Amino acid sequence: MKVMKTLAATTALTVSAGAVSAQDMSNELVLVSWGGAYQDSQQKAYVEPYLAMNPGLTVTWDSSSAEAVAKLRAMEEAGNVTWDLVDAVASDSMRLCDEGLAEELNHDEMLAAAPDGTSASDDFGDLLVSDCFVPQIVYSTTFGYRNDMVGDTAPTSVCDIFDTTKYPGKRSLQKRPIDNVEWALYCDGVAKDELYDVLGSDGGMERALAKLDTIKDDVVWWTAGAETPQLLADGEVVFGSTFNGRLFSAIAEQNQPIGMLWDMQSFDLDGWILPAGLPADRRARALDFLKFATDTQRLADQAAYISYGPARASSAPLVGKHAELGIDMAPHMPTDPANAGNIHVYDYEWWADNRDDLNAKFEAWLAK
Amino acid sequence: MSDTTDTGPVLAADGTPLKRSLARALRRQKMRALMLIAPLLIFILVSFILPVGDMLYRSVKNDIVADTLPRTVVAIQDWDANSGELPDEPVFAAMAADLKDAASAKTHTKVGTRLNYENPGIASAFRKAGRKAKKFDIENDGPWKEQLLDLNKAWGDVEVWRTIQTYSPRVTQGYFLNAVDMKVGPDGAEARPESEQIYMNLLKRTLWMSMLITFSCIVLAYPVAWILANLPMRVSNLLMILVLLPFWTSLLVRTSAWKILLQQQGVINDLLVWIGVVADENRLVIINNQFGTIIAMTHILLPFMILPMYSVMQTIPPTYLRAAKSLGATDWTAFWRVYFPQTVPGIGAGSILVFILAIGYYITPALVGGTKGTFISNQIAYHISTSLNWGLAAALGAILLAVVLVLYWAYDKIVGIDNVKLG
């Protein structure tokens, strides 16, 4: 669903802006994001302070990130790109970069350095997975379980998902091969650093599917992030994978009897891309906002509204308490040392190459 | 004038031949009619036929390879892929030159993505080569065979070159072959391995389930339409609101409501456990399978069946049934021989509506269909919005469209399209 939310400001328009440098920049900014709690956190952490600094600017949200790649390609073909900055997951940003739909960025030149002077590219480090991508947050796909349905021993390993004798009942998994086949191979005894060698070899995918076969009858497959928290709340499943922020709000905000299983949580990134070929004034505005919205303080501020880890190393020490609940946010971050003992980072490039092929095998397996 | 006897053409009042004058009048009439429908005609042409045609054309379009790698496409023509040998140096040199141009135009990754649909792994070969290609010095840096092999071992794979050769023409049948679970092999089209066959099964399932949904709609809608048609107008209008109310409710809301009703800890199961029909450990699985899709879609599409049936039944005079009975027919004979045949046009119209809507559905099957209750439209949506393989999506769409047209033709032969009435 496309929710357009125009913010700000007929009143702000009456205030005459004084900044001279702002004159070459467009007075409108169209941001694309995911809607819901995540977009709200961006609104509060980046957009509201930016609007306060730039009276006269109008920011419009378009909650189309889920279809961003397809829509951006259609816009480019039609020769009318109406978006200025698009929030996308890392794999989508790589595809947009490959398709020439996103502009390649010079991170050190365009982004703010850390307060201690560390350059932006060093501050983001390995998280700069694509030349077109500015990461904002680290999130993870991980498991939540019903405290009251797992008996006396709470699950501690991702492989408990595959143990239907110890934990009978349904589990919900995302309806795609990514993450699921890695977990399956890991629990089938493959070492973490060999996952992709095995998966890419002959019979690798078949081995992963054979492992998933052992629980196939007990799986509810989800496609939207909100499904697992709902299934857990209804007692429909014992375990379920979803984005960690969704589980956080079910636990902390809605007081559901759900526990977190952080083992082998699958890290992923979400961030901004700049559509290629924007007119100069819109591009200047988008870059100005991008520099502000991805500085150390802003990324740390966002963590007060949602339990996703800031992508800059320098932001981590600044993460404080939840803005409304007043609880410490650090222990709920996927990047917290207590949670990140055993993590999984999926190989973007490998999946970009093999996704369609493996997806066909996965779909054929599902239909069997 | 009336007494003239010449055999010349009959003239109109103004002296022109009547035939021409008539034709002119008719032409003017036709023009006027055409002008009246012109806005709609242009609208449909611009907003429907052209875009659909353009989308369908993508199912065979393959310009990108020849446009991005013009030299390679020419150089590789004479290479024999079945020889098992890599192409010669000129092909590699052509590829290097093409890569250099493509990398500066930033199109190398696009062609990589295109070829990756046919041979997984090519995308990264192009992506990696593109990073270096801008600095290639085509004149002096040869031999390119070694250079490219150094860059990525993918360039030493005969299959990669075979894929490039196979997909160099500007028109391809690759997407259509993929859409029917086949691929271009060394000796022409061949079936994909069984573990990768999905689309034909999905198509069969889509058609079969759509027929089941249509049938259950007929069974449920018939008595409802009959009651509506035979009650006094005041009462039937009131009941009609009950039919239309869900029809006006958002599709997502209705589908989600079915989730709450059907899930294992849901309302229906709770009720069955409470009255003791089902044991608590053996709650029924009635969602996330074909059953869930059929129930939810039957409910959602029911108004499309009830409305045409109702409007047809309303036109059948009740005196026919009374006459049949007074002539000695039993209740059943009167219904089956007199009433039912008159309602067939309504059933026909409703069935076409429901069936055609059903085979294009994707939101409801995605939400309540689990793994075995999804339709081919779910795969089309996946290829449009997630995998970006629009060519394959277009081929699947074209096949679906062709199937609908064939079924429509068969329907016309069996039921007769003149036999369909919406009221």
Side-chain angles (χ1 to χ4, degrees):
Chain A
M1 291 294 109
K2 189 172 176 180
V3 184
M4 299 281 270
K5 195 167 148 198
T6 310
L7 289 156
T10 39
T11 47
L13 282 172
T14 57
V15 183
S16 58
V20 183
S21 64
Q23 278 177 355
D24 317 327
M25 294 191 216
S26 163
N27 276 327
E28 279 161 24
L29 183 65
V30 180
L31 300 175
V32 182
S33 187
W34 299 89
Y38 182 66
Q39 186 175 306
D40 287 345
S41 74
Q42 293 176 311
Q43 166 74 10
K44 286 178 185 140
Y46 325 147
V47 174
E48 280 171 10
Y50 188 73
L51 281 173
M53 288 160 51
N54 294 278
L57 176 71
T58 313
V59 172
T60 309
W61 284 104
D62 186 342
S63 308
S64 290
S65 281
E67 306 98 47
V69 191
K71 284 195 175 175
L72 210 51
R73 193 204 247 186
M75 283 184 186
E76 197 239 16
E77 284 194 10
N80 183 22
V81 177
T82 57
W83 292 344
D84 296 324
L85 217 48
V86 182
D87 192 290
V89 291
S91 57
D92 281 349
S93 79
M94 288 180 70
R95 264 186 307 157
L96 288 165
C97 215
D98 278 358
E99 294 259 333
L101 296 169
E103 187 179 320
E104 286 182 20
L105 306 169
N106 183 337
H107 291 94
D108 285 335
E109 208 171 273
M110 294 170 171
L111 302 177
D116 63 2
T118 313
S119 71
S121 55
D122 286 339
D123 204 14
F124 283 110
D126 293 339
L127 303 187
L128 292 175
V129 292
S130 154
D131 294 337
C132 304
F133 185 58
V134 184
Q136 294 164 75
I137 55 142
V138 177
Y139 70 96
S140 83
T141 305
T142 192
F143 284 90
Y145 57 88
R146 280 283 293 218
N147 290 327
D148 51 349
M149 288 167 73
V150 292
D152 298 332
T153 45
T156 51
S157 153
V158 72
C159 297
D160 289 336
I161 306 302
F162 294 90
D163 191 342
T164 47
T165 41
K166 200 166 161 196
Y167 299 104
K170 301 250 177 204
R171 27 299 248 132
S172 60
L173 295 174
Q174 190 171 8
K175 197 174 181 180
R176 64 170 194 176
I178 300 175
D179 294 339
N180 294 326
V181 294
E182 286 104 322
W183 285 326
L185 284 181
Y186 175 74
C187 292
D188 203 31
V190 178
K192 229 163 59 172
D193 52 356
E194 286 168 13
L195 286 176
Y196 293 100
D197 295 337
V198 173
L199 204 50
S201 65
D202 278 341
M205 182 65 178
E206 285 69 22
R207 182 174 169 190
L209 292 178
K211 181 71 180 172
L212 283 167
D213 250 335
T214 60
I215 53 167
K216 193 177 178 188
D217 292 339
D218 295 309
V219 176
V220 177
W221 300 96
W222 61 266
T223 45
E227 286 180 65
T228 289
Q230 187 64 50
L231 289 166
L232 283 168
D234 291 347
E236 201 57 20
V237 296
V238 183
F239 303 99
S241 71
T242 189
F243 313 124
N244 71 291
R246 300 271 189 179
L247 289 169
F248 169 79
S249 47
I251 296 168
E253 289 162 17
Q254 290 150 26
N255 293 315
Q256 296 291 339
I258 298 172
M260 296 289 292
L261 173 58
W262 290 104
D263 184 48
M264 272 299 267
Q265 54 165 323
S266 170
F267 270 22
D268 205 341
L269 305 170
D270 192 85
W272 297 112
I273 63 100
L274 181 68
L278 289 185
D281 62 332
R282 282 171 54 195
R283 183 174 174 274
R285 172 59 76 191
L287 282 173
D288 189 60
F289 174 77
L290 184 65
K291 186 170 187 172
F292 173 78
T294 57
D295 71 11
T296 301
Q297 187 59 46
R298 247 45 61 184
L299 290 185
D301 288 350
Q302 192 183 3
Y305 302 98
I306 199 148
S307 66
Y308 293 129
R312 277 178 185 263
S314 59
S315 299
L318 305 177
V319 171
K321 290 182 188 311
H322 190 281
E324 280 132 35
L325 301 173
I327 50 174
D328 255 339
M329 288 305 279
H332 297 283
M333 294 292 172
T335 42
D336 191 67
N339 301 332
N342 183 25
I343 60 159
H344 163 61
V345 183
Y346 82 77
D347 187 332
Y348 298 108
E349 187 132 4
W350 192 89
W351 274 109
D353 283 352
N354 297 287
R355 184 185 40 225
D356 293 330
D357 208 38
L358 260 55
N359 189 65
K361 286 185 181 171
F362 183 72
E363 288 288 335
W365 172 79
L366 278 182
K368 256 197 291 205
Chain B
M1 288 235 291
S2 58
D3 56 347
T4 51
T5 52
D6 68 74
T7 52
V10 186
L11 298 181
D14 61 353
T16 52
L18 183 61
K19 207 171 166 188
R20 204 194 307 160
S21 166
L22 260 177
R24 192 185 298 153
L26 274 179
R27 193 165 59 232
R28 210 175 298 137
Q29 224 168 28
K30 270 189 205 153
M31 285 300 286
R32 209 183 309 145
L34 200 67
M35 294 238 301
L36 279 173
I37 65 154
L40 182 64
L41 193 69
I42 293 168
F43 178 76
I44 287 182
L45 198 72
V46 171
S47 70
F48 189 72
I49 296 181
L50 289 181
V52 169
D54 178 63
M55 202 64 210
L56 291 181
Y57 175 55
R58 286 169 193 268
S59 59
V60 290
K61 186 177 169 190
N62 195 42
D63 286 331
I64 184 162
V65 182
D67 285 347
T68 320
L69 309 171
R71 302 179 191 89
T72 315
V73 164
V74 176
I76 206 170
Q77 255 174 0
D78 299 326
W79 173 63
D80 178 14
N82 292 329
S83 67
E85 303 269 317
L86 282 176
D88 295 328
E89 173 63 20
V91 177
F92 278 88
M95 176 58 87
D98 284 337
L99 275 175
K100 185 181 160 89
D101 288 353
S104 35
K106 289 182 190 157
T107 51
H108 61 291
T109 44
K110 277 192 199 179
V111 76
T113 309
R114 162 68 190 98
L115 293 171
N116 200 65
Y117 296 140
E118 316 297 343
N119 189 344
I122 290 191
S124 61
F126 273 91
R127 203 181 299 125
K128 282 171 188 153
R131 283 186 202 131
K132 297 266 161 49
K134 277 183 217 166
K135 296 185 202 91
F136 282 172
D137 183 349
I138 302 299
E139 301 298 316
N140 307 317
D141 275 1
W144 287 103
K145 198 165 184 170
E146 282 166 33
Q147 293 268 1
L148 284 179
L149 285 176
D150 274 353
L151 219 56
N152 190 320
K153 65 178 186 337
W155 300 111
D157 183 354
V158 176
E159 289 307 312
V160 166
W161 293 99
R162 186 204 295 279
T163 306
I164 295 171
Q165 191 186 38
T166 311
Y167 290 94
S168 32
R170 287 182 177 273
V171 171
T172 176
Q173 82 270 41
Y175 294 123
F176 272 104
L177 285 179
N178 195 349
V180 294
D181 295 325
M182 295 171 82
K183 63 180 174 187
V184 185
D187 320 304
E190 61 181 41
R192 277 173 189 268
E194 207 184 334
S195 65
E196 289 172 28
Q197 294 185 2
I198 42 179
Y199 302 114
M200 286 329 271
N201 286 335
L202 266 178
L203 187 63
K204 271 183 241 156
R205 182 202 287 168
T206 305
L207 295 174
W208 168 240
M209 286 179 63
S210 299
M211 279 178 201
L212 277 181
I213 289 161
T214 312
F215 182 73
S216 43
C217 276
I218 296 175
V219 171
L220 290 177
Y222 201 90
V224 177
W226 187 82
I227 289 174
L228 286 174
N230 285 286
L231 281 174
M233 194 56 110
R234 220 155 39 98
V235 188
S236 76
N237 276 347
L238 206 66
L239 290 179
M240 189 54 106
I241 290 178
L242 294 181
V243 175
L244 290 176
L245 213 57
F247 188 52
W248 293 328
T249 313
S250 150
L251 175 67
L252 273 173
V253 172
R254 277 181 290 166
T255 308
S256 311
W258 276 112
K259 276 191 109 142
I260 296 165
L261 285 173
L262 294 175
Q263 62 186 6
Q264 282 196 288
Q265 308 293 326
V267 179
I268 291 177
N269 263 312
D270 280 351
L271 202 70
L272 290 176
V273 168
W274 183 66
I275 58 175
V277 181
V278 174
D280 203 6
E281 320 71 75
N282 290 323
R283 286 171 175 250
L284 302 177
V285 183
I286 41 182
I287 197 169
N288 295 327
N289 51 23
Q290 302 197 348
F291 193 71
T293 304
I294 291 173
I295 290 191
M297 282 182 62
T298 301
H299 168 245
I300 286 162
L301 294 171
L302 205 51
F304 293 99
M305 187 66 88
I306 294 179
L307 293 174
M309 277 189 182
Y310 165 73
S311 54
V312 167
M313 286 179 184
Q314 251 193 337
T315 60
I316 303 172
T319 45
Y320 288 6
L321 267 184
R322 266 181 255 143
K325 279 189 208 169
S326 73
L327 289 170
T330 59
D331 282 352
W332 171 252
T333 316
F335 166 75
W336 187 245
R337 301 279 302 277
V338 176
Y339 191 78
F340 182 78
Q342 298 183 77
T343 60
V344 166
I347 299 177
S351 302
I352 283 204
L353 272 178
V354 169
F355 182 78
I356 289 180
L357 283 172
I359 73 178
Y361 251 53
Y362 75 98
I363 294 177
T364 307
L367 288 178
V368 299
T371 58
K372 298 200 172 73
T374 50
F375 284 8
I376 197 158
S377 29
N378 295 103
Q379 280 299 312
I380 298 179
Y382 168 81
H383 287 301
I384 288 282
S385 64
T386 308
S387 82
L388 285 198
N389 192 346
W390 287 6
L392 179 55
L396 288 168
I399 290 175
L400 197 57
L401 182 63
V403 168
V404 171
L405 291 177
V406 167
L407 284 174
Y408 187 76
W409 174 81
Y411 187 89
D412 184 32
K413 289 280 155 209
I414 299 164
V415 181
I417 217 66
D418 301 335
N419 230 344
V420 164
K421 256 202 304 194
L422 284 164

